[in-house]
Amino acid sequence: MSTSASGLQSATAVKIYQRLLTYALPYWRMFALAIVGMVVYALTEPVFAAMMKPLLDGSFVEKNPDTIRLIPMVLLGIFMVRAIFGFLSSYCIRWVGRKVVADLRQEMFAKLLKMPTCHYDNTSSGKLLSKLIYNVDQVAQATTTALTILVRDTISLIGLLAWMLYLHLVLSMTFLLVGPVIALSLSYVIKRFRRISKNIQKSMGQITHFSEEVIEGHRVVKAFGGQAYEMENFIKVNEKNRHQQMKMVVTDNVSVSLIQLIVAMALSGIIYLSTLDSMREAISVGTFMSFVVAMGMLLGPIKRLTKVNSHIQKGIAAADSLFELLDTDIENDQGRIVLEKVKGEIQFQDVWHRYDENKAWALKSINLTIPAGKTVAFVGGSGGGKTTLVNLIPRFYEACQGKITLDGHNIEDLTLDSLRQQIALVSQDITLFNDSIANNIAYGYKRGASREHIEQAAKAAHILDFINSLPDGLDSLVGENGVLLSGGQRQRIAIARAILKDAPILILDEATAALDNESERHIQLALEELMKNRTTLVIAHRLSTIEKADRIVVMNQGEIVEQGTHQSLLKLNRYYAELQNK
């Protein structure tokens, strides 16, 4: 690595740590108390070393009775002060640290809620969870344990060195000669810690990602006999993480042992010098022992300051990944228009869209008007662009070119909240939360839903009889993502949620795909009632479910190839007729 690159990395690391410490500023009072506690605690170490001189010279050499009586009380006082301020500093700094972690997690979670859908498409949820859970705890180490060691032990180190210089300049200078050697060793260790820490975090993200995939897809893993394959992959990433952790352990312990050896060599040299005839006459017993005690007490701070680099570098690497997430652009919400209730007319004006600049267009020159209160169905082969088109309406994705309007308003001029309040969505991939059935039906219902309204929605979705058959009724838990329910039951709860929202625009993306024939008949009746006087966009592969639509739009390779009613499209005997005959 070049010197300039190394300097740039160091400067970046300092900026990251400074930014991290800004999260402690709102809690400056507790932070200040912690610093005061650390300073007082640290100063007790050189004071204790200083007490060795009067203790030995006054008590054992001069046998001064006043000193003999005073020294035990002073020593007791020193350790009482040490205990009180040690507790104060530890409690306050950990309080601040946990506040910083809570604030970071909260800010990250808020960011996750506002991230564009495309970010989730390109980033595994396991890596995001690793940042939210594992990396934040690494930051906690950097803001609590590491900071405590830095402040306490640096002050202790300075105090002890100052006392040693006061006692004997020549002996102290001998000890200080090892300073540059220690500094060079630390410089190498810091760079290595930072590099290994980043590798550890990457491997943790991979472990979380693999684990999450197996947990969510355990049925597929079992059904297709993928246990051995998944185990083999997990062993690889787990071993990679272990290998990186052991690199950290080796670097940590070797660096500590090396620095301790350097300090021990200095200590040996000082003891040798102290035994010379010229030195023995100039140094009293108390002075020599006070010097040796101070030097011995230096080993603890030096050892901890050496080890603290691992915490700091882990914290900096973790903070870097957190700030990368926090600095990610959120959804574009520059609109200022707030619509309370819309009629529901939607227009696509020369709309083009693709998910990546290097990929083909998913939508090409879409021009379409959907009248308010009408039902429009979208059909076509897989990859035709149906789902992409309807996903542009709630702005899950932004159109690359063209304009989409709602009641004449460009949807980009509307606030996202206002726009999405006009839309209810039921998709094939149902998302239910590990909560009660009632709370899943009423999810996001801002005005607050009464029990009666929830029951009415459940009844309209033809699921109330099933709910009433459960021991806890509406209060029954659905399990993670509705795992305790059948596919049809999950879908009907999602439909009940859409019914309760009572939005003027309804998007049904394969809403009846998971239902058996009996359930589908019930749901079709419920949906027909729900779709009255609403603008409804239906995506369906089962063409029998959309025959009554006011208009059917046929899509192929991102383009609208034909549109009309069921009967008129059959008469054309082209794309739609071909789909009907499959």
Tab-separated table of all heavy atoms in Angstrom, residues 463-517:
chain	number	residue	atom	x	y	z
A	463	ILE	N	-63.801	-15.032	5.112
A	463	ILE	CA	-62.892	-15.736	6.015
A	463	ILE	C	-63.355	-15.658	7.462
A	463	ILE	O	-62.739	-16.235	8.358
A	463	ILE	CB	-61.458	-15.174	5.883
A	463	ILE	CG1	-60.438	-16.168	6.474
A	463	ILE	CG2	-61.338	-13.785	6.518
A	463	ILE	CD1	-59.013	-15.855	6.205
A	464	LEU	N	-64.459	-14.977	7.708
A	464	LEU	CA	-64.924	-14.790	9.084
A	464	LEU	C	-65.326	-16.124	9.723
A	464	LEU	O	-65.055	-16.343	10.909
A	464	LEU	CB	-66.104	-13.816	9.129
A	464	LEU	CG	-66.591	-13.433	10.532
A	464	LEU	CD1	-65.474	-12.768	11.328
A	464	LEU	CD2	-67.799	-12.498	10.440
A	465	ASP	N	-65.953	-17.024	8.944
A	465	ASP	CA	-66.350	-18.318	9.510
A	465	ASP	C	-65.135	-19.105	9.984
A	465	ASP	O	-65.157	-19.718	11.058
A	465	ASP	CB	-67.127	-19.134	8.465
A	465	ASP	CG	-68.511	-18.555	8.190
A	465	ASP	OD1	-68.987	-17.769	9.046
A	465	ASP	OD2	-69.079	-18.871	7.137
A	466	PHE	N	-64.071	-19.080	9.181
A	466	PHE	CA	-62.840	-19.763	9.581
A	466	PHE	C	-62.264	-19.129	10.844
A	466	PHE	O	-61.847	-19.823	11.768
A	466	PHE	CB	-61.811	-19.721	8.447
A	466	PHE	CG	-60.405	-20.018	8.899
A	466	PHE	CD1	-60.028	-21.309	9.233
A	466	PHE	CD2	-59.467	-18.995	9.031
A	466	PHE	CE1	-58.737	-21.586	9.674
A	466	PHE	CE2	-58.178	-19.259	9.465
A	466	PHE	CZ	-57.821	-20.561	9.788
A	467	ILE	N	-62.240	-17.798	10.889
A	467	ILE	CA	-61.688	-17.093	12.047
A	467	ILE	C	-62.465	-17.438	13.310
A	467	ILE	O	-61.882	-17.694	14.369
A	467	ILE	CB	-61.690	-15.568	11.802
A	467	ILE	CG1	-60.706	-15.214	10.682
A	467	ILE	CG2	-61.324	-14.807	13.075
A	467	ILE	CD1	-60.782	-13.773	10.219
A	468	ASN	N	-63.784	-17.461	13.197
A	468	ASN	CA	-64.628	-17.761	14.373
A	468	ASN	C	-64.448	-19.199	14.863
A	468	ASN	O	-64.752	-19.509	16.013
A	468	ASN	CB	-66.100	-17.502	14.048
A	468	ASN	CG	-66.400	-16.011	13.944
A	468	ASN	OD1	-65.696	-15.189	14.542
A	468	ASN	ND2	-67.438	-15.660	13.199
A	469	SER	N	-63.942	-20.071	13.979
A	469	SER	CA	-63.731	-21.463	14.388
A	469	SER	C	-62.447	-21.633	15.204
A	469	SER	O	-62.237	-22.679	15.820
A	469	SER	CB	-63.672	-22.367	13.156
A	469	SER	OG	-62.478	-22.121	12.414
A	470	LEU	N	-61.605	-20.616	15.206
A	470	LEU	CA	-60.363	-20.678	15.971
A	470	LEU	C	-60.619	-20.357	17.433
A	470	LEU	O	-61.502	-19.556	17.754
A	470	LEU	CB	-59.336	-19.686	15.403
A	470	LEU	CG	-58.903	-19.909	13.946
A	470	LEU	CD1	-58.025	-18.761	13.472
A	470	LEU	CD2	-58.159	-21.235	13.816
A	471	PRO	N	-59.852	-20.960	18.356
A	471	PRO	CA	-60.071	-20.725	19.799
A	471	PRO	C	-59.999	-19.249	20.181
A	471	PRO	O	-60.785	-18.776	21.005
A	471	PRO	CB	-58.940	-21.527	20.467
A	471	PRO	CG	-58.564	-22.569	19.465
A	471	PRO	CD	-58.797	-21.963	18.122
A	472	ASP	N	-59.056	-18.509	19.582
A	472	ASP	CA	-58.889	-17.096	19.928
A	472	ASP	C	-59.498	-16.153	18.903
A	472	ASP	O	-59.315	-14.931	18.992
A	472	ASP	CB	-57.396	-16.774	20.090
A	472	ASP	CG	-56.784	-17.528	21.261
A	472	ASP	OD1	-57.474	-17.688	22.283
A	472	ASP	OD2	-55.618	-17.962	21.134
A	473	GLY	N	-60.191	-16.697	17.914
A	473	GLY	CA	-60.868	-15.856	16.942
A	473	GLY	C	-59.937	-14.881	16.250
A	473	GLY	O	-58.850	-15.244	15.787
A	474	LEU	N	-60.338	-13.613	16.203
A	474	LEU	CA	-59.540	-12.584	15.559
A	474	LEU	C	-58.204	-12.350	16.252
A	474	LEU	O	-57.281	-11.775	15.673
A	474	LEU	CB	-60.317	-11.260	15.510
A	474	LEU	CG	-61.395	-11.144	14.428
A	474	LEU	CD1	-62.278	-9.933	14.692
A	474	LEU	CD2	-60.766	-11.044	13.039
A	475	ASP	N	-58.101	-12.780	17.509
A	475	ASP	CA	-56.858	-12.598	18.261
A	475	ASP	C	-55.858	-13.735	18.040
A	475	ASP	O	-54.784	-13.748	18.654
A	475	ASP	CB	-57.156	-12.468	19.760
A	475	ASP	CG	-57.988	-11.222	20.068
A	475	ASP	OD1	-57.687	-10.169	19.475
A	475	ASP	OD2	-58.931	-11.309	20.872
A	476	SER	N	-56.192	-14.678	17.181
A	476	SER	CA	-55.283	-15.798	16.899
A	476	SER	C	-54.044	-15.296	16.160
A	476	SER	O	-54.143	-14.453	15.258
A	476	SER	CB	-55.984	-16.850	16.032
A	476	SER	OG	-57.138	-17.342	16.684
A	477	LEU	N	-52.892	-15.814	16.535
A	477	LEU	CA	-51.645	-15.445	15.875
A	477	LEU	C	-51.506	-16.199	14.560
A	477	LEU	O	-51.889	-17.370	14.467
A	477	LEU	CB	-50.452	-15.733	16.782
A	477	LEU	CG	-50.378	-14.936	18.086
A	477	LEU	CD1	-49.183	-15.384	18.924
A	477	LEU	CD2	-50.275	-13.437	17.809
A	478	VAL	N	-50.932	-15.541	13.553
A	478	VAL	CA	-50.805	-16.164	12.236
A	478	VAL	C	-49.442	-16.815	12.032
A	478	VAL	O	-49.231	-17.532	11.056
A	478	VAL	CB	-51.047	-15.128	11.113
A	478	VAL	CG1	-52.415	-14.485	11.259
A	478	VAL	CG2	-49.945	-14.066	11.100
A	479	GLY	N	-48.484	-16.559	12.951
A	479	GLY	CA	-47.129	-17.084	12.785
A	479	GLY	C	-46.330	-16.215	11.833
A	479	GLY	O	-46.854	-15.265	11.227
A	480	GLU	N	-45.052	-16.538	11.699
A	480	GLU	CA	-44.188	-15.730	10.840
A	480	GLU	C	-44.645	-15.829	9.395
A	480	GLU	O	-44.694	-16.895	8.797
A	480	GLU	CB	-42.734	-16.195	10.960
A	480	GLU	CG	-41.758	-15.321	10.201
A	480	GLU	CD	-40.311	-15.734	10.401
A	480	GLU	OE1	-40.067	-16.670	11.186
A	480	GLU	OE2	-39.432	-15.131	9.771
A	481	ASN	N	-45.014	-14.676	8.836
A	481	ASN	CA	-45.527	-14.574	7.465
A	481	ASN	C	-46.706	-15.510	7.226
A	481	ASN	O	-46.891	-16.043	6.130
A	481	ASN	CB	-44.424	-14.838	6.444
A	481	ASN	CG	-44.710	-14.152	5.116
A	481	ASN	OD1	-45.466	-13.185	5.058
A	481	ASN	ND2	-44.129	-14.650	4.045
A	482	GLY	N	-47.528	-15.718	8.280
A	482	GLY	CA	-48.746	-16.505	8.128
A	482	GLY	C	-48.519	-17.986	7.989
A	482	GLY	O	-49.333	-18.697	7.385
A	483	VAL	N	-47.403	-18.503	8.552
A	483	VAL	CA	-47.045	-19.910	8.371
A	483	VAL	C	-48.081	-20.854	8.976
A	483	VAL	O	-48.192	-22.015	8.559
A	483	VAL	CB	-45.645	-20.175	8.979
A	483	VAL	CG1	-45.669	-20.099	10.493
A	483	VAL	CG2	-45.088	-21.515	8.510
A	484	LEU	N	-48.870	-20.379	9.949
A	484	LEU	CA	-49.871	-21.235	10.590
A	484	LEU	C	-51.176	-21.320	9.788
A	484	LEU	O	-52.109	-22.016	10.199
A	484	LEU	CB	-50.172	-20.714	12.007
A	484	LEU	CG	-48.971	-20.636	12.967
A	484	LEU	CD1	-49.385	-20.075	14.306
A	484	LEU	CD2	-48.347	-22.018	13.139
A	485	LEU	N	-51.247	-20.619	8.657
A	485	LEU	CA	-52.458	-20.602	7.833
A	485	LEU	C	-52.179	-21.240	6.476
A	485	LEU	O	-51.039	-21.344	6.042
A	485	LEU	CB	-52.944	-19.160	7.630
A	485	LEU	CG	-53.177	-18.317	8.891
A	485	LEU	CD1	-53.504	-16.891	8.505
A	485	LEU	CD2	-54.296	-18.910	9.736
A	486	SER	N	-53.236	-21.632	5.801
A	486	SER	CA	-53.088	-22.149	4.441
A	486	SER	C	-52.901	-20.979	3.480
A	486	SER	O	-53.138	-19.818	3.826
A	486	SER	CB	-54.337	-22.946	4.040
A	486	SER	OG	-55.440	-22.056	3.869
A	487	GLY	N	-52.487	-21.298	2.242
A	487	GLY	CA	-52.280	-20.247	1.252
A	487	GLY	C	-53.545	-19.459	0.979
A	487	GLY	O	-53.514	-18.229	0.880
A	488	GLY	N	-54.670	-20.166	0.877
A	488	GLY	CA	-55.938	-19.492	0.620
A	488	GLY	C	-56.361	-18.600	1.773
A	488	GLY	O	-56.900	-17.505	1.572
A	489	GLN	N	-56.115	-19.066	3.006
A	489	GLN	CA	-56.473	-18.265	4.174
A	489	GLN	C	-55.622	-16.996	4.247
A	489	GLN	O	-56.124	-15.915	4.564
A	489	GLN	CB	-56.299	-19.098	5.442
A	489	GLN	CG	-57.341	-20.200	5.588
A	489	GLN	CD	-56.914	-21.301	6.544
A	489	GLN	OE1	-55.792	-21.316	7.037
A	489	GLN	NE2	-57.809	-22.259	6.775
A	490	ARG	N	-54.331	-17.128	3.942
A	490	ARG	CA	-53.463	-15.949	3.932
A	490	ARG	C	-53.945	-14.937	2.895
A	490	ARG	O	-53.978	-13.735	3.146
A	490	ARG	CB	-52.012	-16.353	3.621
A	490	ARG	CG	-51.324	-17.107	4.750
A	490	ARG	CD	-49.812	-17.080	4.575
A	490	ARG	NE	-49.371	-17.726	3.358
A	490	ARG	CZ	-49.080	-19.024	3.254
A	490	ARG	NH1	-49.188	-19.816	4.307
A	490	ARG	NH2	-48.679	-19.537	2.110
A	491	GLN	N	-54.331	-15.453	1.733
A	491	GLN	CA	-54.744	-14.553	0.662
A	491	GLN	C	-56.044	-13.837	1.027
A	491	GLN	O	-56.220	-12.643	0.737
A	491	GLN	CB	-54.935	-15.341	-0.635
A	491	GLN	CG	-54.715	-14.486	-1.881
A	491	GLN	CD	-53.684	-15.089	-2.794
A	491	GLN	OE1	-53.363	-16.251	-2.689
A	491	GLN	NE2	-53.144	-14.297	-3.711
A	492	ARG	N	-56.940	-14.539	1.682
A	492	ARG	CA	-58.206	-13.901	2.061
A	492	ARG	C	-58.015	-12.857	3.155
A	492	ARG	O	-58.726	-11.853	3.195
A	492	ARG	CB	-59.220	-14.970	2.490
A	492	ARG	CG	-59.900	-15.638	1.298
A	492	ARG	CD	-60.943	-16.628	1.717
A	492	ARG	NE	-60.345	-17.924	2.038
A	492	ARG	CZ	-61.025	-18.944	2.560
A	492	ARG	NH1	-62.297	-18.809	2.849
A	492	ARG	NH2	-60.415	-20.081	2.805
A	493	ILE	N	-57.042	-13.085	4.045
A	493	ILE	CA	-56.730	-12.057	5.053
A	493	ILE	C	-56.177	-10.821	4.359
A	493	ILE	O	-56.513	-9.684	4.711
A	493	ILE	CB	-55.736	-12.602	6.097
A	493	ILE	CG1	-56.443	-13.607	7.019
A	493	ILE	CG2	-55.131	-11.462	6.929
A	493	ILE	CD1	-55.527	-14.291	8.014
A	494	ALA	N	-55.347	-11.024	3.340
A	494	ALA	CA	-54.804	-9.889	2.584
A	494	ALA	C	-55.914	-9.143	1.858
A	494	ALA	O	-55.903	-7.903	1.772
A	494	ALA	CB	-53.756	-10.382	1.588
A	495	ILE	N	-56.886	-9.885	1.332
A	495	ILE	CA	-58.020	-9.247	0.661
A	495	ILE	C	-58.862	-8.475	1.677
A	495	ILE	O	-59.316	-7.357	1.409
A	495	ILE	CB	-58.863	-10.301	-0.082
A	495	ILE	CG1	-58.060	-10.831	-1.282
A	495	ILE	CG2	-60.189	-9.715	-0.546
A	495	ILE	CD1	-58.674	-12.022	-1.972
A	496	ALA	N	-59.045	-9.046	2.876
A	496	ALA	CA	-59.780	-8.341	3.935
A	496	ALA	C	-59.065	-7.041	4.301
A	496	ALA	O	-59.703	-6.017	4.566
A	496	ALA	CB	-59.910	-9.242	5.166
A	497	ARG	N	-57.737	-7.067	4.319
A	497	ARG	CA	-56.943	-5.864	4.607
A	497	ARG	C	-57.195	-4.795	3.548
A	497	ARG	O	-57.332	-3.608	3.871
A	497	ARG	CB	-55.466	-6.244	4.661
A	497	ARG	CG	-54.526	-5.117	5.026
A	497	ARG	CD	-53.178	-5.654	5.493
A	497	ARG	NE	-52.486	-6.428	4.479
A	497	ARG	CZ	-51.488	-7.273	4.729
A	497	ARG	NH1	-51.076	-7.470	5.971
A	497	ARG	NH2	-50.914	-7.940	3.760
A	498	ALA	N	-57.277	-5.209	2.282
A	498	ALA	CA	-57.543	-4.261	1.200
A	498	ALA	C	-58.969	-3.723	1.276
A	498	ALA	O	-59.214	-2.544	1.019
A	498	ALA	CB	-57.307	-4.935	-0.146
A	499	ILE	N	-59.905	-4.600	1.646
A	499	ILE	CA	-61.307	-4.182	1.787
A	499	ILE	C	-61.422	-3.118	2.877
A	499	ILE	O	-62.109	-2.105	2.719
A	499	ILE	CB	-62.207	-5.389	2.102
A	499	ILE	CG1	-62.296	-6.318	0.880
A	499	ILE	CG2	-63.594	-4.935	2.542
A	499	ILE	CD1	-62.970	-7.642	1.151
A	500	LEU	N	-60.743	-3.348	4.005
A	500	LEU	CA	-60.825	-2.417	5.131
A	500	LEU	C	-60.205	-1.066	4.785
A	500	LEU	O	-60.693	-0.021	5.227
A	500	LEU	CB	-60.125	-3.012	6.355
A	500	LEU	CG	-60.228	-2.204	7.655
A	500	LEU	CD1	-61.674	-2.079	8.098
A	500	LEU	CD2	-59.411	-2.855	8.753
A	501	LYS	N	-59.154	-1.055	3.984
A	501	LYS	CA	-58.509	0.212	3.618
A	501	LYS	C	-59.444	1.102	2.810
A	501	LYS	O	-59.371	2.330	2.886
A	501	LYS	CB	-57.225	-0.059	2.834
A	501	LYS	CG	-56.424	1.212	2.560
A	501	LYS	CD	-55.084	0.934	1.931
A	501	LYS	CE	-54.299	2.242	1.752
A	501	LYS	NZ	-52.986	2.016	1.123
A	502	ASP	N	-60.321	0.469	2.022
A	502	ASP	CA	-61.347	1.215	1.281
A	502	ASP	C	-60.727	2.299	0.401
A	502	ASP	O	-61.167	3.452	0.386
A	502	ASP	CB	-62.346	1.842	2.271
A	502	ASP	CG	-63.607	2.349	1.554
A	502	ASP	OD1	-63.917	1.826	0.475
A	502	ASP	OD2	-64.239	3.292	2.076
A	503	ALA	N	-59.672	1.941	-0.326
A	503	ALA	CA	-58.987	2.902	-1.194
A	503	ALA	C	-59.686	2.972	-2.552
A	503	ALA	O	-60.269	1.988	-3.010
A	503	ALA	CB	-57.537	2.484	-1.375
A	504	PRO	N	-59.618	4.130	-3.222
A	504	PRO	CA	-60.302	4.266	-4.519
A	504	PRO	C	-59.621	3.508	-5.657
A	504	PRO	O	-60.224	3.300	-6.698
A	504	PRO	CB	-60.253	5.778	-4.774
A	504	PRO	CG	-59.125	6.294	-3.936
A	504	PRO	CD	-59.049	5.397	-2.751
A	505	ILE	N	-58.360	3.112	-5.465
A	505	ILE	CA	-57.640	2.348	-6.488
A	505	ILE	C	-57.242	1.003	-5.893
A	505	ILE	O	-56.691	0.937	-4.795
A	505	ILE	CB	-56.381	3.092	-6.975
A	505	ILE	CG1	-56.763	4.442	-7.593
A	505	ILE	CG2	-55.603	2.250	-7.986
A	505	ILE	CD1	-55.569	5.320	-7.913
A	506	LEU	N	-57.526	-0.051	-6.630
A	506	LEU	CA	-57.252	-1.403	-6.151
A	506	LEU	C	-56.358	-2.118	-7.155
A	506	LEU	O	-56.654	-2.141	-8.354
A	506	LEU	CB	-58.577	-2.164	-5.977
A	506	LEU	CG	-58.519	-3.596	-5.458
A	506	LEU	CD1	-57.981	-3.634	-4.037
A	506	LEU	CD2	-59.899	-4.238	-5.520
A	507	ILE	N	-55.255	-2.672	-6.667
A	507	ILE	CA	-54.355	-3.456	-7.520
A	507	ILE	C	-54.408	-4.900	-7.061
A	507	ILE	O	-54.118	-5.206	-5.897
A	507	ILE	CB	-52.906	-2.925	-7.441
A	507	ILE	CG1	-52.829	-1.503	-7.991
A	507	ILE	CG2	-51.957	-3.834	-8.214
A	507	ILE	CD1	-51.455	-0.860	-7.860
A	508	LEU	N	-54.794	-5.791	-7.966
A	508	LEU	CA	-54.885	-7.218	-7.667
A	508	LEU	C	-53.871	-7.947	-8.548
A	508	LEU	O	-54.085	-8.093	-9.751
A	508	LEU	CB	-56.300	-7.744	-7.931
A	508	LEU	CG	-57.442	-7.041	-7.181
A	508	LEU	CD1	-58.798	-7.565	-7.644
A	508	LEU	CD2	-57.294	-7.233	-5.686
A	509	ASP	N	-52.765	-8.342	-7.944
A	509	ASP	CA	-51.695	-9.035	-8.688
A	509	ASP	C	-51.789	-10.525	-8.371
A	509	ASP	O	-51.274	-10.991	-7.369
A	509	ASP	CB	-50.340	-8.461	-8.281
A	509	ASP	CG	-49.197	-9.011	-9.131
A	509	ASP	OD1	-49.466	-9.899	-9.968
A	509	ASP	OD2	-48.054	-8.563	-8.957
A	510	GLU	N	-52.485	-11.274	-9.246
A	510	GLU	CA	-52.705	-12.703	-9.021
A	510	GLU	C	-53.355	-12.940	-7.657
A	510	GLU	O	-52.950	-13.837	-6.908
A	510	GLU	CB	-51.367	-13.464	-9.116
A	510	GLU	CG	-50.758	-13.467	-10.494
A	510	GLU	CD	-51.548	-14.294	-11.493
A	510	GLU	OE1	-52.200	-15.273	-11.075
A	510	GLU	OE2	-51.549	-13.952	-12.676
A	511	ALA	N	-54.361	-12.149	-7.322
A	511	ALA	CA	-54.947	-12.167	-5.977
A	511	ALA	C	-55.672	-13.462	-5.650
A	511	ALA	O	-55.890	-13.771	-4.471
A	511	ALA	CB	-55.913	-11.001	-5.814
A	512	THR	N	-56.053	-14.227	-6.655
A	512	THR	CA	-56.768	-15.483	-6.387
A	512	THR	C	-55.946	-16.700	-6.750
A	512	THR	O	-56.463	-17.814	-6.823
A	512	THR	CB	-58.099	-15.523	-7.185
A	512	THR	OG1	-57.796	-15.449	-8.585
A	512	THR	CG2	-58.996	-14.352	-6.805
A	513	ALA	N	-54.639	-16.504	-6.950
A	513	ALA	CA	-53.795	-17.591	-7.460
A	513	ALA	C	-53.701	-18.761	-6.500
A	513	ALA	O	-53.594	-19.911	-6.915
A	513	ALA	CB	-52.403	-17.058	-7.772
A	514	ALA	N	-53.721	-18.500	-5.188
A	514	ALA	CA	-53.480	-19.568	-4.213
A	514	ALA	C	-54.771	-20.199	-3.690
A	514	ALA	O	-54.741	-20.962	-2.741
A	514	ALA	CB	-52.668	-19.011	-3.046
A	515	LEU	N	-55.888	-19.876	-4.313
A	515	LEU	CA	-57.167	-20.348	-3.789
A	515	LEU	C	-57.652	-21.590	-4.530
A	515	LEU	O	-57.449	-21.736	-5.732
A	515	LEU	CB	-58.224	-19.246	-3.918
A	515	LEU	CG	-57.877	-17.908	-3.251
A	515	LEU	CD1	-58.989	-16.906	-3.513
A	515	LEU	CD2	-57.660	-18.086	-1.765
A	516	ASP	N	-58.326	-22.464	-3.777
A	516	ASP	CA	-58.966	-23.595	-4.431
A	516	ASP	C	-60.250	-23.092	-5.101
A	516	ASP	O	-60.663	-21.952	-4.931
A	516	ASP	CB	-59.255	-24.706	-3.419
A	516	ASP	CG	-60.045	-24.208	-2.217
A	516	ASP	OD1	-61.028	-23.457	-2.423
A	516	ASP	OD2	-59.674	-24.542	-1.071
A	517	ASN	N	-60.890	-23.960	-5.851
A	517	ASN	CA	-62.059	-23.538	-6.630
A	517	ASN	C	-63.184	-23.011	-5.747
A	517	ASN	O	-63.836	-22.017	-6.069
A	517	ASN	CB	-62.564	-24.706	-7.486
A	517	ASN	CG	-61.595	-25.041	-8.604
A	517	ASN	OD1	-60.846	-24.173	-9.052
A	517	ASN	ND2	-61.583	-26.298	-9.049
